[in-house]
Amino acid sequence: GSFDFQQTYTQIKSRILSHGDQSDISMKEMFAILDHMSQFEFGQFILVHGGLNGYWTNYVYNYDPKNPENTNAEERYFFEHVPLIKATKERHQIFKKILNEHFFPGAHFASLPSGLMPDLLAMNLSDKDDFHFTAVDLDENSLQQAKDLVSKKGILSHCFFIQDDAWTFKAQKSCDLLICHGLNVYVSDDKKVIQLYQNLKKSIKPNGKLLTSTMVPSPDVCPYSTWNFDKISIEELQYQKIIFQNITTARYDNFRSVLRNRTLDITKV
Protein backbone atom coordinates (compact mmCIF):
# COMPACT_ATOMS: atom_id res chain seq x y z
CA GLY A 1 0.00 0.00 0.00
CA SER A 2 0.90 3.67 0.00
CA PHE A 3 2.20 3.49 3.54
CA ASP A 4 5.00 0.93 2.95
CA PHE A 5 3.12 -2.05 4.32
CA GLN A 6 5.32 -4.74 2.78
CA GLN A 7 8.41 -3.27 4.40
CA THR A 8 6.68 -3.17 7.79
CA TYR A 9 5.39 -6.73 7.35
CA THR A 10 8.92 -7.99 6.70
CA GLN A 11 10.28 -6.08 9.70
CA ILE A 12 7.61 -7.48 12.03
CA LYS A 13 8.24 -11.05 10.83
CA SER A 14 11.97 -10.59 11.45
CA ARG A 15 11.32 -9.19 14.94
CA ILE A 16 9.05 -12.11 15.84
CA LEU A 17 11.68 -14.57 14.64
CA SER A 18 14.46 -12.85 16.58
CA HIS A 19 12.46 -12.77 19.84
CA GLY A 20 11.16 -16.31 19.47
CA ASP A 21 8.33 -17.85 21.49
CA GLN A 22 7.08 -15.76 24.41
CA SER A 23 5.91 -17.09 27.76
CA ASP A 24 2.25 -16.62 26.83
CA ILE A 25 2.34 -16.71 23.02
CA SER A 26 4.15 -18.77 20.41
CA MET A 27 5.72 -17.50 17.21
CA LYS A 28 3.20 -19.55 15.25
CA GLU A 29 0.30 -17.74 16.94
CA MET A 30 1.91 -14.33 16.35
CA PHE A 31 2.47 -15.11 12.68
CA ALA A 32 -1.17 -16.18 12.36
CA ILE A 33 -2.45 -12.90 13.82
CA LEU A 34 0.04 -10.91 11.72
CA ASP A 35 -1.36 -12.55 8.59
CA HIS A 36 -4.91 -11.99 9.90
CA MET A 37 -4.26 -8.23 10.32
CA SER A 38 -2.70 -8.07 6.86
CA GLN A 39 -5.98 -9.02 5.17
CA PHE A 40 -7.65 -5.61 5.50
CA GLU A 41 -6.44 -2.05 4.93
CA PHE A 42 -7.28 -0.83 8.44
CA GLY A 43 -5.25 -3.71 9.90
CA GLN A 44 -2.33 -2.84 7.64
CA PHE A 45 -2.43 0.78 8.81
CA ILE A 46 -2.30 -0.30 12.47
CA LEU A 47 0.65 -2.59 11.77
CA VAL A 48 2.55 0.25 10.09
CA HIS A 49 1.71 3.11 12.46
CA GLY A 50 0.76 1.45 15.77
CA GLY A 51 -2.12 3.92 16.09
CA LEU A 52 -4.86 5.79 14.24
CA ASN A 53 -5.03 9.03 12.31
CA GLY A 54 -8.14 11.16 11.87
CA TYR A 55 -9.45 9.17 8.92
CA TRP A 56 -9.17 5.76 10.58
CA THR A 57 -10.54 7.02 13.91
CA ASN A 58 -13.61 8.19 12.04
CA TYR A 59 -13.69 4.82 10.29
CA VAL A 60 -13.80 3.02 13.67
CA TYR A 61 -16.75 5.11 14.85
CA ASN A 62 -18.75 4.43 11.70
CA TYR A 63 -17.90 0.76 11.12
CA ASP A 64 -20.80 -1.61 11.78
CA PRO A 65 -19.83 -5.30 11.88
CA LYS A 66 -23.48 -6.20 11.24
CA ASN A 67 -23.63 -4.22 8.00
CA PRO A 68 -23.75 -6.81 5.16
CA GLU A 69 -21.61 -4.47 3.02
CA ASN A 70 -18.67 -5.09 5.37
CA THR A 71 -17.72 -8.42 3.82
CA ASN A 72 -14.11 -8.78 5.02
CA ALA A 73 -14.29 -11.54 7.65
CA GLU A 74 -10.90 -10.72 9.17
CA GLU A 75 -11.83 -7.06 9.64
CA ARG A 76 -15.22 -7.95 11.08
CA TYR A 77 -13.55 -10.31 13.57
CA PHE A 78 -11.16 -7.53 14.62
CA PHE A 79 -14.00 -5.11 15.32
CA GLU A 80 -15.97 -7.71 17.26
CA HIS A 81 -13.11 -9.02 19.42
CA VAL A 82 -10.74 -6.16 20.33
CA PRO A 83 -11.85 -4.59 23.65
CA LEU A 84 -10.01 -1.33 22.92
CA ILE A 85 -11.90 -0.88 19.65
CA LYS A 86 -15.24 -1.72 21.24
CA ALA A 87 -14.52 0.71 24.10
CA THR A 88 -13.55 3.43 21.62
CA LYS A 89 -16.88 3.07 19.82
CA GLU A 90 -18.72 3.13 23.16
CA ARG A 91 -16.81 6.24 24.26
CA HIS A 92 -17.90 7.96 21.06
CA GLN A 93 -21.56 7.29 21.88
CA ILE A 94 -21.09 8.59 25.44
CA PHE A 95 -19.49 11.80 24.16
CA LYS A 96 -22.30 12.23 21.63
CA LYS A 97 -24.87 12.04 24.44
CA ILE A 98 -22.96 14.50 26.66
CA LEU A 99 -22.46 17.00 23.84
CA ASN A 100 -26.17 17.00 23.00
CA GLU A 101 -27.05 17.46 26.69
CA HIS A 102 -24.68 20.42 27.08
CA PHE A 103 -25.71 22.25 23.92
CA PHE A 104 -27.39 25.65 24.20
CA PRO A 105 -28.03 28.40 21.60
CA GLY A 106 -24.85 30.36 20.91
CA ALA A 107 -22.56 27.64 22.27
CA HIS A 108 -18.91 27.47 21.21
CA PHE A 109 -17.61 23.88 21.21
CA ALA A 110 -14.03 23.03 20.26
CA SER A 111 -12.22 19.76 19.60
CA LEU A 112 -8.49 19.17 19.96
CA PRO A 113 -7.08 17.15 18.30
CA SER A 114 -10.18 17.29 16.15
CA GLY A 115 -9.36 14.71 13.51
CA LEU A 116 -12.42 14.66 11.27
CA MET A 117 -14.59 16.16 14.06
CA PRO A 118 -16.47 12.87 14.63
CA ASP A 119 -17.86 13.79 18.07
CA LEU A 120 -19.11 17.24 17.06
CA LEU A 121 -20.53 16.05 13.74
CA ALA A 122 -22.36 13.19 15.50
CA MET A 123 -24.48 15.72 17.39
CA ASN A 124 -28.11 16.33 16.53
CA LEU A 125 -27.69 19.55 14.55
CA SER A 126 -30.77 19.38 12.30
CA ASP A 127 -32.73 21.93 14.35
CA LYS A 128 -29.78 24.11 15.45
CA ASP A 129 -28.45 27.20 13.71
CA ASP A 130 -26.81 29.23 16.51
CA PHE A 131 -23.48 27.60 17.37
CA HIS A 132 -19.76 27.66 16.61
CA PHE A 133 -17.35 24.76 16.30
CA THR A 134 -13.56 25.06 16.32
CA ALA A 135 -11.44 22.19 15.02
CA VAL A 136 -7.77 22.18 16.07
CA ASP A 137 -5.31 19.62 14.74
CA LEU A 138 -1.66 19.43 13.72
CA ASP A 139 -2.53 17.23 10.74
CA GLU A 140 -3.41 19.33 7.71
CA ASN A 141 -5.02 16.35 5.96
CA SER A 142 -7.39 15.74 8.88
CA LEU A 143 -8.43 19.39 8.90
CA GLN A 144 -9.10 19.34 5.15
CA GLN A 145 -11.15 16.14 5.42
CA ALA A 146 -13.07 17.67 8.34
CA LYS A 147 -13.76 20.77 6.25
CA ASP A 148 -15.09 18.56 3.44
CA LEU A 149 -17.44 16.72 5.83
CA VAL A 150 -18.65 19.98 7.35
CA SER A 151 -19.34 21.38 3.88
CA LYS A 152 -21.45 18.34 3.01
CA LYS A 153 -23.47 18.89 6.18
CA GLY A 154 -24.02 22.53 5.22
CA ILE A 155 -22.55 24.02 8.41
CA LEU A 156 -19.23 25.37 7.11
CA SER A 157 -20.15 28.94 8.15
CA HIS A 158 -20.37 27.73 11.77
CA CYS A 159 -16.88 26.22 11.84
CA PHE A 160 -13.31 27.39 12.28
CA PHE A 161 -10.22 25.32 11.47
CA ILE A 162 -6.86 25.87 13.16
CA GLN A 163 -3.62 23.97 12.58
CA ASP A 164 -1.92 23.98 15.97
CA ASP A 165 -0.47 21.88 18.78
CA ALA A 166 -2.43 21.09 21.94
CA TRP A 167 0.34 22.43 24.18
CA THR A 168 0.43 25.82 22.43
CA PHE A 169 -3.16 26.37 21.28
CA LYS A 170 -5.00 29.24 22.98
CA ALA A 171 -8.56 30.43 22.43
CA GLN A 172 -8.58 33.10 25.19
CA LYS A 173 -11.27 31.50 27.37
CA SER A 174 -13.81 31.45 24.54
CA CYS A 175 -14.88 27.77 24.64
CA ASP A 176 -18.03 26.66 26.42
CA LEU A 177 -16.92 23.06 26.01
CA LEU A 178 -13.59 21.69 24.82
CA ILE A 179 -13.14 18.06 23.76
CA CYS A 180 -9.68 16.60 24.17
CA HIS A 181 -9.72 12.87 23.66
CA GLY A 182 -6.82 10.58 22.90
CA LEU A 183 -3.71 12.63 23.56
CA ASN A 184 -3.11 11.55 27.15
CA VAL A 185 -2.68 7.88 26.24
CA TYR A 186 0.25 8.71 23.98
CA VAL A 187 2.13 10.69 26.66
CA SER A 188 4.02 8.86 29.41
CA ASP A 189 5.29 11.94 31.27
CA ASP A 190 2.72 12.99 33.90
CA LYS A 191 4.16 16.53 33.98
CA LYS A 192 3.55 16.94 30.27
CA VAL A 193 -0.01 15.66 30.64
CA ILE A 194 -0.65 18.20 33.40
CA GLN A 195 0.85 20.93 31.20
CA LEU A 196 -1.56 19.85 28.47
CA TYR A 197 -4.62 20.32 30.68
CA GLN A 198 -3.28 23.52 32.19
CA ASN A 199 -2.95 24.94 28.69
CA LEU A 200 -6.41 23.75 27.66
CA LYS A 201 -7.90 25.49 30.68
CA LYS A 202 -6.78 28.83 29.21
CA SER A 203 -9.16 28.26 26.28
CA ILE A 204 -12.22 27.39 28.38
CA LYS A 205 -14.66 29.92 29.81
CA PRO A 206 -14.73 30.17 33.65
CA ASN A 207 -17.88 28.03 33.81
CA GLY A 208 -16.98 25.96 30.76
CA LYS A 209 -16.29 22.24 30.55
CA LEU A 210 -13.44 20.02 29.48
CA LEU A 211 -14.69 16.73 28.05
CA THR A 212 -11.94 14.14 28.11
CA SER A 213 -11.30 10.46 28.66
CA THR A 214 -8.54 8.11 29.63
CA MET A 215 -7.81 4.38 29.55
CA VAL A 216 -8.31 2.82 32.97
CA PRO A 217 -5.42 0.49 33.93
CA SER A 218 -5.95 -3.25 33.88
CA PRO A 219 -5.62 -5.40 37.04
CA ASP A 220 -2.14 -6.59 36.06
CA VAL A 221 -1.02 -2.93 36.03
CA CYS A 222 -3.04 -1.59 38.97
CA PRO A 223 -4.43 -3.66 41.90
CA TYR A 224 -7.26 -1.12 42.29
CA SER A 225 -8.44 -1.49 38.71
CA THR A 226 -12.16 -0.95 38.15
CA TRP A 227 -12.39 -3.34 35.20
CA ASN A 228 -15.51 -5.50 35.18
CA PHE A 229 -14.44 -8.97 34.08
CA ASP A 230 -18.06 -10.09 33.84
CA LYS A 231 -18.08 -8.10 30.59
CA ILE A 232 -14.51 -8.69 29.41
CA SER A 233 -13.23 -11.80 27.68
CA ILE A 234 -9.75 -13.00 28.70
CA GLU A 235 -9.31 -14.44 25.21
CA GLU A 236 -10.12 -11.08 23.63
CA LEU A 237 -7.67 -9.32 25.95
CA GLN A 238 -4.97 -11.75 24.90
CA TYR A 239 -5.79 -11.18 21.23
CA GLN A 240 -5.56 -7.42 21.76
CA LYS A 241 -2.26 -7.73 23.66
CA ILE A 242 -0.68 -9.74 20.83
CA ILE A 243 -1.67 -7.09 18.28
CA PHE A 244 -0.72 -3.97 20.21
CA GLN A 245 2.23 -5.20 22.29
CA ASN A 246 3.78 -8.28 20.65
CA ILE A 247 3.30 -7.44 16.97
CA THR A 248 3.06 -3.66 16.67
CA THR A 249 4.90 -1.02 18.66
CA ALA A 250 1.81 0.88 19.74
CA ARG A 251 2.48 3.69 22.16
CA TYR A 252 -0.95 4.46 23.57
CA ASP A 253 -0.65 2.35 26.71
CA ASN A 254 -0.19 5.16 29.24
CA PHE A 255 -3.04 4.32 31.61
CA ARG A 256 -4.34 6.82 34.16
CA SER A 257 -7.14 6.14 36.60
CA VAL A 258 -7.37 9.71 37.96
CA LEU A 259 -6.29 13.01 36.44
CA ARG A 260 -3.83 14.57 38.84
CA ASN A 261 -4.61 18.17 37.98
CA ARG A 262 -7.48 19.00 40.36
CA THR A 263 -7.85 22.61 39.17
CA LEU A 264 -9.86 21.64 36.09
CA ASP A 265 -13.63 21.42 35.87
CA ILE A 266 -13.99 17.99 34.27
CA THR A 267 -17.09 16.38 32.86
CA LYS A 268 -16.44 12.77 33.85
CA VAL A 269 -17.12 9.96 31.43
Side-chain angles (χ1 to χ4, degrees):
S2 60
F3 40 77
D4 299 323
F5 171 68
Q6 284 303 325
Q7 181 181 349
T8 299
Y9 181 85
T10 302
Q11 290 172 346
I12 293 175
K13 287 197 76 169
S14 298
R15 189 170 68 245
I16 292 173
L17 281 168
S18 64
H19 290 170
D21 293 337
Q22 305 295 304
S23 59
D24 57 347
I25 180 76
S26 69
M27 285 194 298
K28 182 179 179 181
E29 290 172 295
M30 284 187 275
F31 284 137
I33 292 180
L34 173 61
D35 288 337
H36 174 103
M37 293 290 290
S38 303
Q39 299 306 308
F40 53 102
E41 189 178 359
F42 178 40
Q44 293 180 7
F45 188 91
I46 290 172
L47 292 175
V48 172
H49 296 282
L52 309 182
N53 61 7
Y55 172 84
W56 287 112
T57 300
N58 206 51
Y59 185 83
V60 168
Y61 295 148
N62 291 294
Y63 183 92
D64 180 6
K66 296 182 176 62
N67 187 332
E69 293 181 7
N70 296 323
T71 58
N72 188 301
E74 287 81 7
E75 182 173 45
R76 192 163 56 245
Y77 184 91
F78 177 83
F79 271 91
E80 291 176 336
H81 293 89
V82 176
L84 180 61
I85 295 296
K86 292 192 285 186
T88 297
K89 291 173 74 68
E90 186 175 325
R91 194 250 359 129
H92 177 59
Q93 293 303 316
I94 293 170
F95 271 32
K96 175 182 174 181
K97 180 175 181 290
I98 291 173
L99 289 169
N100 281 320
E101 288 173 350
H102 281 76
F103 181 86
F104 60 89
H108 176 200
F109 287 2
S111 180
L112 187 171
S114 64
L116 275 62
M117 302 171 66
D119 295 311
L120 293 175
L121 294 184
M123 292 176 61
N124 178 15
L125 300 171
S126 58
D127 59 344
K128 300 175 176 63
D129 58 11
D130 186 11
F131 63 91
H132 295 290
F133 290 162
T134 297
V136 185
D137 205 299
L138 263 183
D139 180 20
E140 187 177 355
N141 288 333
S142 289
L143 288 175
Q144 184 56 55
Q145 290 174 63
K147 193 175 292 187
D148 293 341
L149 289 175
V150 162
S151 297
K152 290 176 183 176
K153 279 186 168 284
I155 58 171
L156 184 60
S157 61
H158 294 270
C159 301
F160 303 93
F161 302 88
I162 301 172
Q163 189 174 4
D164 203 351
D165 180 89
W167 281 264
T168 58
F169 169 73
K170 288 178 179 59
Q172 298 176 336
K173 293 191 179 297
S174 67
C175 301
D176 294 294
L177 187 146
L178 175 59
I179 307 165
C180 185
H181 162 71
L183 278 182
N184 53 20
V185 295
Y186 288 96
V187 182
S188 59
D189 184 352
D190 283 342
K191 289 182 180 178
K192 191 167 184 184
V193 172
I194 291 173
Q195 288 171 357
L196 165 68
Y197 290 114
Q198 286 174 334
N199 185 57
L200 296 181
K201 185 184 178 185
K202 298 173 184 175
S203 298
I204 302 171
K205 289 180 180 178
N207 294 320
K209 301 289 184 183
L210 171 68
L211 181 56
T212 189
S213 64
T214 189
M215 288 198 292
V216 178
S218 60
D220 59 334
V221 175
C222 173
Y224 308 108
S225 174
T226 55
W227 282 26
N228 180 0
F229 275 95
D230 291 337
K231 297 182 178 181
I232 300 173
S233 161
I234 299 298
E235 292 75 21
E236 289 183 349
L237 276 179
Q238 174 70 353
Y239 174 63
Q240 174 177 285
K241 176 181 177 292
I242 294 167
I243 294 170
F244 292 108
Q245 293 183 34
N246 296 96
I247 294 178
T248 70
T249 53
R251 288 272 55 86
Y252 45 92
D253 54 358
N254 297 292
F255 302 103
R256 287 179 175 84
S257 54
V258 179
L259 291 172
R260 293 172 175 80
N261 188 350
R262 310 285 183 174
T263 63
L264 295 173
D265 183 7
I266 298 171
T267 297
K268 294 181 179 178
V269 177

Short mmCIF file of all heavy atoms in Angstrom, two decimals, residues 15 23 26 67 78 80 92 127 133 141 147-148 162 166 173 180 247-248 269:
data_model
loop_
_atom_site.label_atom_id
_atom_site.label_comp_id
_atom_site.label_asym_id
_atom_site.label_seq_id
_atom_site.Cartn_x
_atom_site.Cartn_y
_atom_site.Cartn_z
N ARG A 15 11.30 -9.44 13.50
CA ARG A 15 11.32 -9.19 14.94
C ARG A 15 10.73 -10.38 15.71
O ARG A 15 11.25 -10.79 16.75
CB ARG A 15 10.54 -7.91 15.26
CG ARG A 15 10.69 -7.47 16.72
CD ARG A 15 10.14 -6.08 16.98
NE ARG A 15 8.70 -6.02 16.85
CZ ARG A 15 8.04 -5.32 15.94
NH1 ARG A 15 8.72 -4.63 15.04
NH2 ARG A 15 6.73 -5.32 15.90
N SER A 23 6.44 -16.25 26.69
CA SER A 23 5.91 -17.09 27.76
C SER A 23 4.43 -17.39 27.58
O SER A 23 3.94 -18.45 27.98
CB SER A 23 6.13 -16.42 29.12
OG SER A 23 5.49 -15.15 29.15
N SER A 26 3.12 -18.17 21.27
CA SER A 26 4.15 -18.77 20.41
C SER A 26 4.35 -17.96 19.14
O SER A 26 3.51 -17.14 18.77
CB SER A 26 3.74 -20.20 20.03
OG SER A 26 2.62 -20.16 19.16
N ASN A 67 -23.27 -4.71 9.32
CA ASN A 67 -23.63 -4.22 8.00
C ASN A 67 -23.18 -5.25 6.95
O ASN A 67 -22.00 -5.58 6.86
CB ASN A 67 -22.93 -2.88 7.75
CG ASN A 67 -23.38 -2.22 6.45
OD1 ASN A 67 -23.79 -2.88 5.49
ND2 ASN A 67 -23.29 -0.90 6.41
N PHE A 78 -11.93 -8.51 13.86
CA PHE A 78 -11.16 -7.53 14.62
C PHE A 78 -12.08 -6.58 15.37
O PHE A 78 -11.90 -6.33 16.58
CB PHE A 78 -10.25 -6.75 13.65
CG PHE A 78 -9.45 -5.64 14.30
CD1 PHE A 78 -8.25 -5.91 14.94
CD2 PHE A 78 -9.91 -4.33 14.26
CE1 PHE A 78 -7.51 -4.90 15.54
CE2 PHE A 78 -9.18 -3.31 14.85
CZ PHE A 78 -7.98 -3.60 15.49
N GLU A 80 -15.11 -7.03 16.28
CA GLU A 80 -15.97 -7.71 17.26
C GLU A 80 -15.21 -8.26 18.45
O GLU A 80 -15.81 -8.63 19.46
CB GLU A 80 -16.73 -8.85 16.57
CG GLU A 80 -17.79 -8.37 15.59
CD GLU A 80 -18.46 -9.52 14.84
OE1 GLU A 80 -17.84 -10.60 14.74
OE2 GLU A 80 -19.59 -9.32 14.36
N HIS A 92 -17.36 7.03 22.04
CA HIS A 92 -17.90 7.96 21.06
C HIS A 92 -19.39 8.21 21.31
O HIS A 92 -19.86 9.35 21.23
CB HIS A 92 -17.66 7.39 19.66
CG HIS A 92 -18.25 8.22 18.56
ND1 HIS A 92 -17.89 9.54 18.34
CD2 HIS A 92 -19.17 7.92 17.60
CE1 HIS A 92 -18.57 10.01 17.30
NE2 HIS A 92 -19.35 9.06 16.85
N ASP A 127 -31.86 20.83 13.94
CA ASP A 127 -32.73 21.93 14.35
C ASP A 127 -31.95 23.06 15.02
O ASP A 127 -32.52 23.88 15.75
CB ASP A 127 -33.81 21.42 15.32
CG ASP A 127 -33.22 20.78 16.57
OD1 ASP A 127 -32.01 20.47 16.56
OD2 ASP A 127 -33.96 20.59 17.55
N PHE A 133 -18.28 25.85 16.05
CA PHE A 133 -17.35 24.76 16.30
C PHE A 133 -15.95 25.19 15.88
O PHE A 133 -15.77 25.84 14.85
CB PHE A 133 -17.73 23.51 15.49
CG PHE A 133 -18.98 22.82 15.94
CD1 PHE A 133 -19.62 21.92 15.09
CD2 PHE A 133 -19.52 23.04 17.19
CE1 PHE A 133 -20.77 21.26 15.49
CE2 PHE A 133 -20.68 22.39 17.60
CZ PHE A 133 -21.31 21.50 16.75
N ASN A 141 -4.09 17.22 6.69
CA ASN A 141 -5.02 16.35 5.96
C ASN A 141 -6.31 16.13 6.74
O ASN A 141 -7.41 16.13 6.15
CB ASN A 141 -4.35 15.00 5.67
CG ASN A 141 -3.27 15.11 4.62
OD1 ASN A 141 -3.31 15.98 3.76
ND2 ASN A 141 -2.29 14.21 4.69
N LYS A 147 -13.13 19.66 6.97
CA LYS A 147 -13.76 20.77 6.25
C LYS A 147 -14.69 20.22 5.15
O LYS A 147 -15.80 20.75 4.94
CB LYS A 147 -12.69 21.67 5.64
CG LYS A 147 -13.21 23.01 5.15
CD LYS A 147 -12.07 23.91 4.66
CE LYS A 147 -11.17 24.35 5.79
NZ LYS A 147 -10.17 25.37 5.33
N ASP A 148 -14.26 19.17 4.48
CA ASP A 148 -15.09 18.56 3.44
C ASP A 148 -16.38 17.98 4.03
O ASP A 148 -17.47 18.15 3.46
CB ASP A 148 -14.31 17.46 2.71
CG ASP A 148 -13.14 18.00 1.89
OD1 ASP A 148 -13.14 19.21 1.60
OD2 ASP A 148 -12.24 17.21 1.57
N ILE A 162 -8.15 25.33 12.73
CA ILE A 162 -6.86 25.87 13.16
C ILE A 162 -5.83 24.75 13.20
O ILE A 162 -6.07 23.71 13.83
CB ILE A 162 -6.96 26.51 14.56
CG1 ILE A 162 -7.99 27.65 14.56
CG2 ILE A 162 -5.60 27.03 15.02
CD1 ILE A 162 -8.30 28.20 15.94
N ALA A 166 -1.61 21.00 20.74
CA ALA A 166 -2.43 21.09 21.94
C ALA A 166 -1.73 21.82 23.08
O ALA A 166 -2.39 22.41 23.95
CB ALA A 166 -2.83 19.69 22.40
N LYS A 173 -10.08 31.79 26.56
CA LYS A 173 -11.27 31.50 27.37
C LYS A 173 -12.58 31.72 26.61
O LYS A 173 -13.54 32.28 27.12
CB LYS A 173 -11.26 32.35 28.65
CG LYS A 173 -10.15 31.99 29.62
CD LYS A 173 -10.33 32.63 30.96
CE LYS A 173 -9.22 32.23 31.93
NZ LYS A 173 -9.20 30.80 32.24
N CYS A 180 -11.07 17.02 24.41
CA CYS A 180 -9.68 16.60 24.17
C CYS A 180 -9.60 15.11 24.50
O CYS A 180 -9.44 14.72 25.66
CB CYS A 180 -8.70 17.39 25.02
SG CYS A 180 -6.96 16.99 24.63
N ILE A 247 3.11 -7.59 18.42
CA ILE A 247 3.30 -7.44 16.97
C ILE A 247 3.63 -6.01 16.59
O ILE A 247 4.62 -5.74 15.92
CB ILE A 247 2.06 -7.95 16.21
CG1 ILE A 247 1.91 -9.47 16.41
CG2 ILE A 247 2.17 -7.63 14.73
CD1 ILE A 247 0.70 -10.07 15.74
N THR A 248 2.78 -5.06 16.98
CA THR A 248 3.06 -3.66 16.67
C THR A 248 3.83 -3.03 17.81
O THR A 248 4.06 -3.64 18.85
CB THR A 248 1.75 -2.86 16.45
OG1 THR A 248 1.09 -2.72 17.70
CG2 THR A 248 0.85 -3.55 15.46
N VAL A 269 -16.50 10.95 32.31
CA VAL A 269 -17.12 9.96 31.43
C VAL A 269 -16.99 8.59 32.10
O VAL A 269 -15.90 8.18 32.43
CB VAL A 269 -16.43 9.95 30.05
CG1 VAL A 269 -17.05 8.88 29.18
CG2 VAL A 269 -16.59 11.31 29.39
#
